[in-house]
Structure formats: structure tokens, C-alpha cells
């Protein structure tokens, strides 16, 4: 069975999504900025009986990112699922950042997703199809998070563009738009969010959704 590649394998949604796909039997590949992040994720996954391989890359650096994707495809084969879960989350109001800071944020929030998808999608299509899932957010733009609001709005547009481009070749492209701060045990528990990634991947083609807005679920009593 072809595997899942998670770009942005942090301790929240990235690790939870990796665990959800891994426990279903898919081989897992992880990409993170540091080896420490990969090691932490692998340790958490091992506790759930899931083995994973990893590669380091800065998602804002195209050559690092494509090299990491190629390394994991070389180990696992062309992935069945690509999850782009990287974003730059910070507080900034309109006009507070320099032009370069906005460009740097855009490179992480949007261009990394574009690079990852377009680098792997042709091979996924040739292999018979698959799923590309992008973590979204900010369903309502907020001035206190301007760069993130702009980036996540573009993620929604990018999802539509990629779905139109690669959907006819059998690739389901969707975004999970998360409407709050992710934290275990909260209404935005990453394990609950990860279930939507799995559900989107397993949808039959005639029922494909292209966006799920996760508004939060009550925390367990």
C-alpha cells in the first residue's frame, strides 16, 4: 500500500494525522524543519505502533522541500496521500510587517503547499490517483492575524485551483479549515481534526468534498 507524507510533522495535527493514517496501515513519511521535531513525532507514533521515516526541510525553501519529498518517495514509493500542514502563526496587524516579512510568511503558508502539490501530483496521477490535503484556518479574517488570514484565504483558493487541475486525473484535493487554536483535550483536539483528514481521503469520487470547516467539537467530559 502506498503511504502518506506529512509536511509539517509537529506535535498537533501533523502527528495526529500521521497516527490516523498509520494505524490504518499506510506507511508514514514525515517532513519537518528540524530532526528534533521528526524524532519527537516518531517517538509518539511508535507508542501507537506506527513506524515512520523522516526528512528535514524548510517548507519555505523550494529545493529543500522537493529534495525531502523525493527522498521519502524513494523510500516509500509515490505517496497515496500528501498532507501539507505547515503554517506561520503569529500576531501581526495591517502594516506592522515589512514587505519581506509578508513574503516570508506567504512562502510558508501558501507556496510550500503549491510546491509540494505540483511536485508530487503528476506522479500520483500516473500511479492511479490519490489525495492532497492542506491544513487551512482563519475562516473569518482577523486584523490581529493579518499575514495568517491572507495566507489561509489563499490556501482556500489554491485548493480550488489544484482540484480543477488534478481532479480529472483522480486526485482528491481538499482543505480542512480549522477555526481555532489546536490543543489536545480542547474543542480543537488534533485527534478529532485528524478524523476529517481520513474521512476526506476515503470519500468515493462522486462524493468528494473540497473543504471541511472544523468549528470545534465539545471536549470529552
Amino acid at each position: 500500500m502506498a503511504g502518506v507524507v506529512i509536511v509539517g510533522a509537529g506535535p498537533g495535527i501533523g502527528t495526529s494525522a500521521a497516527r490516523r493514517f498509520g494505524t490504518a496501515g499506510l506507511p508514514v513519511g514525515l517532513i519537518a524543519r528540524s530532526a528534533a521535531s521528526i524524532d519527537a513525532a516518531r517517538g509518539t507514533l511508535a507508542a501507537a505502533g506506527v513506524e515512520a521515516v523522516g526528512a528535514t526541510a524548510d517548507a519555505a525553501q523550494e529545493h529543500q522541500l522537493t529534495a525531502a519529498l523525493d527522498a521519502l518517495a524513494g523510500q516509500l514509493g509515490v505517496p497515496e496521500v500528501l498532507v501539507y500542514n505547515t503554517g506561520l502563526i503569529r500576531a501581526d496587524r495591517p502594516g506592522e510587517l515589512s514587505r519581506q516579512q509578508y513574503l516570508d510568511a506567504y512562502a510558508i503558508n501558501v507556496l510550500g503547499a503549491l510546491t509540494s502539490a505540483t511536485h508530487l501530483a503528476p506522479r500520483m496521477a500516473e500511479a492511479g490517483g490519490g489525495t492532497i490535503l492542506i491544513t487551512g484556518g482563519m475562516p473569518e479574517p482577523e486584523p490581529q492575524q493579518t499575514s495568517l488570514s491572507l495566507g489561509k484565504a489563499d490556501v482556500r483558493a489554491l485548493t480550488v485551483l489544484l482540484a480543477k487541475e488534478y481532479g480529472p486525473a483522480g486526485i482528491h484535493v481538499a482543505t480542512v479549515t480549522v477555526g481555532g487554536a489546536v490543543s489536545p483535550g480542547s474543542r480543537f483536539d488534533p485527534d478529532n481534526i485528524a478524523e476529517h483528514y481520513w474521512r476526506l481521503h476515503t470519500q468515493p469520487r462522486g462524493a468528494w468534498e473540497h473543504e471541511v470547516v472544523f468549528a470545534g467539537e465539545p471536549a470529552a467530559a
Side-chain angles (χ1 to χ4, degrees):
M1 180 181 292
V4 56
V5 169
I6 312 283
V7 182
I13 293 173
T15 297
S16 289
R19 180 168 51 235
R20 181 64 183 87
F21 284 93
T23 54
L26 274 71
V28 175
L30 307 172
I31 295 176
R33 196 170 190 175
S34 71
S37 293
I38 290 174
D39 289 343
R42 291 182 66 193
T44 300
L45 294 173
V50 175
E51 295 186 2
V53 296
T56 58
D58 181 343
Q61 302 298 319
E62 181 180 10
H63 295 303
Q64 289 185 28
L65 183 54
T66 56
L69 292 168
D70 288 341
L72 293 182
Q75 294 180 72
L76 302 177
V78 176
E80 180 178 342
V81 186
L82 168 67
V83 175
Y84 188 84
N85 180 59
T86 297
L88 179 58
I89 300 173
R90 64 180 169 194
D92 60 86
R93 304 191 74 88
E96 287 185 347
L97 299 183
S98 68
R99 180 181 178 87
Q100 188 59 53
Q101 286 174 311
Y102 282 119
L103 291 173
D104 291 343
Y106 190 79
I108 296 171
N109 294 331
V110 184
L111 295 183
L114 176 63
T115 295
S116 299
T118 57
H119 190 69
L120 288 181
R123 281 181 275 177
M124 293 169 70
E126 187 177 350
T131 307
I132 296 174
L133 303 172
I134 306 173
T135 300
M138 306 304 297
E140 291 294 331
E142 298 292 345
Q144 65 268 27
Q145 289 185 300
T146 295
S147 63
L148 185 63
S149 293
L150 291 171
K152 293 306 183 184
D154 280 357
V155 160
R156 296 171 105 167
L158 176 62
T159 299
V160 174
L161 295 172
L162 293 173
K164 290 180 177 180
E165 182 73 10
Y166 298 113
I171 298 176
H172 182 191
V173 184
T175 181
V176 179
T177 300
V178 181
V182 176
S183 178
S186 74
R187 295 178 65 242
F188 293 91
D189 188 293
D191 286 347
N192 292 338
I193 297 170
E195 288 297 327
H196 290 282
Y197 289 74
W198 178 252
R199 184 177 64 80
L200 286 165
H201 172 57
T202 56
Q203 283 178 340
R205 184 166 182 167
W208 279 358
E209 296 174 81
H210 297 294
E211 181 178 27
V212 170
V213 178
F214 187 88
E217 296 177 356

